[in-house]
Amino acid sequence: MTRAHAFPDRRTAGLHLGEQLSGRAWHDPLVLGLARGGVVVAHGVAAALGAPLDVAVARKIGAPGRPEFGVGAVTAHGEATYDTRTLRALGLSVDDLRETCEAERAEARRRERVYLGGREREPRAGRDVVLVDDGLATGVTARAAAHAIHEDRPRSLVFAAPVCAPESAVALKADVDEVVCLLAPDDLRAIGEWYVDFEQTSDDEVVELLGSELS
């Protein structure tokens, strides 16, 4: 697998992922895009499944002095999820990250308020839920989002992404019913390397996509 297979952009990747998932029998499906970039991919998946689109928000908890290095993740509500092996390797405890965790939880709540815009989120109970992101690297944010979704008692939960780190995809199977990846390259270093256009998705774009799908 080489970068010659890269996706032009998130929208195109979402169309391909939707094609992969559309041949199944789904029970009252709901597609959740993991904000921000996952919402762009999820839009195409929702269209392919004829399902409503909604948003899931999870924020990475970075290591002290290395915010880009995720050691955990947190959603707007519920307990944070940590990679215990990474914490041990770095000599960190949950208490060491409490302040960072609460700051990220506050940001998750802010984003959720912005994205929902005062409406109620789509019900998840008893439905086949597809959680979509633009890629799976360490998997820590996907795990946190999955834990929060399970609290709403979906009938099933499938995680889907255009490109995944193979070891993370295997590990995530402990938290969801199935992991679907179009590409699983052994040499994945950064998700953005597998897209021609990987510009950051804005809050406004997320709101626009959710509104176009739900209007």
Side-chain angles (χ1 to χ4, degrees):
M1 195 69 66
T2 69
R3 285 165 188 76
H5 297 83
F7 301 99
D9 52 34
R10 291 182 180 90
R11 289 177 181 266
T12 304
L15 296 176
H16 290 308
L17 193 58
E19 290 175 1
Q20 178 76 14
L21 294 167
S22 62
R24 306 183 179 199
W26 298 95
H27 174 75
D28 194 14
L30 169 66
V31 176
L32 299 178
L34 194 51
R36 296 177 179 140
V39 177
V40 183
V41 181
H43 188 270
V45 175
L49 301 187
L53 172 67
D54 211 343
V55 65
V57 180
R59 292 286 297 171
K60 180 171 60 179
I61 300 170
R66 299 175 63 188
E68 76 289 347
F69 184 68
V71 298
V74 66
T75 58
H77 310 282
E79 296 295 321
T81 298
Y82 290 98
D83 185 326
T84 54
R85 289 183 299 177
T86 301
L87 291 183
R88 286 196 299 269
L90 296 176
L92 294 171
S93 70
V94 171
D95 283 341
D96 294 330
L97 298 163
R98 193 171 304 280
E99 184 176 339
T100 302
C101 174
E102 289 310 311
E104 295 299 346
R105 189 193 305 278
E107 175 61 13
R109 289 175 175 169
R110 183 200 71 82
R111 290 192 182 197
E112 194 170 83
R113 287 194 300 270
V114 169
Y115 300 151
L116 292 176
R119 67 172 175 84
E120 293 294 324
R121 70 184 187 187
E122 285 282 329
R124 302 170 179 179
R127 306 175 77 166
D128 288 339
V129 175
V130 184
L131 176 64
V132 177
D133 203 359
D134 52 18
L136 183 73
T138 65
V140 68
T141 54
R143 286 179 56 213
H147 293 171
I149 294 166
H150 277 305
E151 293 180 1
D152 294 322
R153 300 183 180 277
R155 179 176 181 266
S156 69
L157 176 58
V158 173
F159 176 84
V163 59
C164 304
E167 64 277 11
S168 297
V170 171
L172 186 60
K173 291 178 181 179
D175 300 289
V176 299
D177 295 294
E178 185 181 357
V179 177
V180 176
C181 303
L182 298 182
L183 302 178
D186 292 330
D187 61 341
L188 189 148
R189 294 186 298 270
I191 298 300
E193 293 181 353
W194 295 84
Y195 288 83
V196 175
D197 178 1
F198 199 66
E199 290 295 319
Q200 185 174 6
T201 303
S202 68
D203 284 346
D204 287 343
E205 186 174 1
V206 171
V207 171
E208 180 182 356
L209 288 169
L210 292 172
S212 68
E213 190 67 25
L214 296 173
S215 60

Coordinates of all heavy atoms in Angstrom, one line a residue, residues 7 25 28 33-34 43 48 62 69 81 86-87 104 154 160 177 201 205:
F7 N -6.4 9.8 -0.9 CA -7.7 10.4 -1.3 C -7.5 11.8 -1.6 O -6.7 12.5 -1.0 CB -8.7 10.2 -0.1 CG -8.9 8.8 0.4 CD1 -8.2 8.3 1.5 CD2 -9.8 8.0 -0.3 CE1 -8.4 7.0 1.9 CE2 -10.0 6.7 0.1 CZ -9.3 6.2 1.2
A25 N -27.6 -4.4 5.3 CA -28.9 -4.1 5.9 C -28.7 -3.4 7.3 O -28.1 -4.0 8.2 CB -29.6 -5.4 6.1
D28 N -32.5 1.2 11.2 CA -32.6 2.6 11.6 C -31.3 3.3 11.8 O -30.9 3.8 12.9 CB -33.4 2.7 13.0 CG -33.9 4.1 13.3 OD1 -33.9 5.0 12.4 OD2 -34.3 4.3 14.4
G33 N -20.4 11.9 12.8 CA -19.1 12.3 12.4 C -18.3 12.8 13.6 O -18.8 13.6 14.4
L34 N -17.1 12.3 13.7 CA -16.2 12.8 14.8 C -15.6 14.1 14.5 O -14.8 14.2 13.5 CB -15.2 11.7 15.1 CG -14.4 11.8 16.4 CD1 -15.3 11.9 17.6 CD2 -13.5 10.6 16.5
H43 N -20.6 12.9 6.1 CA -21.6 13.5 5.2 C -21.9 12.6 4.0 O -23.1 12.3 3.7 CB -21.3 14.9 4.8 CG -22.4 15.6 4.1 ND1 -22.6 15.6 2.7 CD2 -23.4 16.4 4.5 CE1 -23.6 16.3 2.4 NE2 -24.1 16.8 3.5
A48 N -25.1 8.0 1.5 CA -25.1 6.7 0.9 C -26.0 5.8 1.6 O -26.7 4.9 1.0 CB -23.7 6.1 0.9
G62 N -3.4 15.8 25.7 CA -2.0 15.7 25.3 C -1.1 15.6 26.5 O -1.4 15.9 27.6
F69 N 0.7 15.0 21.3 CA 0.9 13.6 21.7 C -0.2 13.2 22.6 O -0.2 13.4 23.8 CB 2.3 13.4 22.3 CG 2.6 11.9 22.6 CD1 2.8 11.0 21.5 CD2 2.6 11.4 23.8 CE1 3.0 9.7 21.7 CE2 2.9 10.1 24.1 CZ 3.1 9.2 23.0
T81 N -11.0 8.8 28.8 CA -10.3 7.6 28.4 C -8.8 7.8 28.3 O -8.4 8.7 27.6 CB -10.9 7.1 27.1 OG1 -12.3 6.9 27.2 CG2 -10.3 5.8 26.6
T86 N 0.7 4.0 27.7 CA 1.4 5.2 27.4 C 1.7 6.0 28.7 O 2.8 6.6 28.9 CB 0.7 6.1 26.4 OG1 0.5 5.4 25.2 CG2 1.5 7.4 26.1
L87 N 0.7 6.1 29.6 CA 0.8 6.8 30.9 C 2.0 6.2 31.7 O 2.8 6.9 32.2 CB -0.5 6.7 31.7 CG -1.7 7.5 31.2 CD1 -2.8 7.4 32.2 CD2 -1.3 9.0 31.0
E104 N -10.0 20.4 28.2 CA -10.5 19.7 26.9 C -11.9 19.4 27.0 O -12.7 19.4 26.0 CB -9.6 18.5 26.6 CG -8.2 18.8 26.3 CD -8.0 19.7 25.1 OE1 -8.9 19.9 24.3 OE2 -6.8 20.2 24.9
P154 N -27.0 2.0 21.8 CA -27.3 1.7 20.4 C -27.4 0.2 20.2 O -27.0 -0.6 21.0 CB -26.0 2.3 19.7 CG -24.9 2.1 20.7 CD -25.6 2.4 22.0
A160 N -15.9 3.6 11.3 CA -15.5 3.6 9.9 C -14.6 4.8 9.6 O -14.9 5.9 10.0 CB -16.7 3.5 9.0
D177 N -18.4 -2.8 17.7 CA -18.8 -4.1 17.1 C -18.0 -4.4 15.9 O -17.8 -5.6 15.6 CB -20.3 -4.1 16.8 CG -21.2 -4.0 18.1 OD1 -21.1 -4.9 18.9 OD2 -21.8 -2.9 18.2
T201 N -10.7 21.5 9.1 CA -12.1 21.8 9.0 C -12.5 22.8 10.0 O -12.1 22.7 11.2 CB -12.9 20.5 9.2 OG1 -12.5 19.5 8.2 CG2 -14.4 20.7 9.0
E205 N -17.9 25.0 8.9 CA -18.2 24.0 7.9 C -18.9 22.8 8.5 O -19.8 22.2 7.9 CB -16.8 23.5 7.3 CG -17.0 22.5 6.2 CD -15.7 22.1 5.5 OE1 -14.7 22.6 5.9 OE2 -15.8 21.3 4.6

